[in-house]
């Protein structure tokens, strides 16, 4: 699981079975946060702001657009307007999905964290690696 920025938008590559509730359950133990602490609350709040308004693009494709587009890559190119180079860079396998993260709709601190903090996305990806989802 990883977060990336493509053409000014934020995306998350995850397994098809990803559930935010599972991520939230694992945050405290994987990152060694004390239950009920400010650190636990704030960390969960950061991840919640990323995934609160996320769209599962593969699920949308399969549910609504499967007949309209030749493939998921075709859907990403024509409907979501991703460049072919970005689609190739994402390189999803059959067991993965792509979430479009709509951080503009959530807490303004989220955008500050990843755009104005040096290595903000790297820090989040490192935390996701520790959580092992």
């Amino acid at each position: 699981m990883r977060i990336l920025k493509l053409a000014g938008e934020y995306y998350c590559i995850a397994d098809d079975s990803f559930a935010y509730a599972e991520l939230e359950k694992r945050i405290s133990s994987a990152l060694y946060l004390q239950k009920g602490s400010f650190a636990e609350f704030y960390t969960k709040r950061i991840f919640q702001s990323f995934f609160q308004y996320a769209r599962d693009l593969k699920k949308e494709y399969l549910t609504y657009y499967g007949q309209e587009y030749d493939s998921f890559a075709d859907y990403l190119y024509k409907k979501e307007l991703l460049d072919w180079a970005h689609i190739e860079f994402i390189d999803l396998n059959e067991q993965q999905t792509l979430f479009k993260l709509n951080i503009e709709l959530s807490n303004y601190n989220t955008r500050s964290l990843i755009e104005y903090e040096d290595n903000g996305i790297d820090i989040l990806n490192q935390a996701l690696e520790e959580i092992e989802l």
Side-chain angles (χ1 to χ4, degrees):
M1 181 173 199
R2 68 184 171 160
I3 295 173
L4 47 114
K5 183 178 181 179
L6 302 171
E9 300 286 345
Y10 294 93
Y11 297 89
C12 179
I13 298 171
D15 289 339
D16 277 336
S17 61
F18 171 76
Y20 176 77
E22 184 63 27
L23 171 66
E24 192 165 293
K25 277 181 13 185
R26 292 186 186 189
I27 286 174
S28 298
S29 61
L31 301 178
Y32 305 103
L33 302 174
Q34 184 177 4
K35 293 279 187 197
S37 68
F38 176 76
E40 178 191 44
F41 169 78
Y42 195 69
T43 303
K44 286 181 177 180
R45 187 80 172 119
I46 289 169
F47 282 105
Q48 181 185 35
S49 65
F50 273 91
F51 290 98
Q52 185 174 12
Y53 299 106
R55 293 174 38 226
D56 184 337
L57 297 179
K58 188 173 182 184
K59 184 177 179 180
E60 283 184 12
Y61 162 72
L62 293 171
T63 303
Y64 303 111
Y65 302 104
Q67 300 293 323
E68 191 173 336
Y69 297 97
D70 294 333
S71 65
F72 183 52
D74 189 46
Y75 165 77
L76 292 175
Y77 179 70
K78 292 178 180 174
K79 175 81 170 132
E80 294 298 321
L81 306 177
L82 280 173
D83 292 338
W84 283 113
H86 291 141
I87 295 167
E88 289 176 10
F89 174 77
I90 292 169
D91 191 32
L92 293 180
N93 66 38
E94 291 294 319
Q95 291 79 37
Q96 291 178 316
T97 190
L98 184 66
F99 287 91
K100 185 172 186 179
L101 306 175
N102 291 310
I103 61 172
E104 296 83 21
L105 300 176
S106 60
N107 189 329
Y108 75 93
N109 289 327
T110 305
R111 179 169 289 287
S112 297
L113 175 69
I114 58 174
E115 290 195 353
Y116 303 113
E117 180 68 33
D118 292 339
N119 304 321
I121 291 178
D122 295 335
I123 293 167
L124 288 172
N125 282 327
Q126 183 179 359
L128 288 171
E129 190 174 305
E130 294 291 324
I131 294 168
E132 296 180 348
L133 268 181

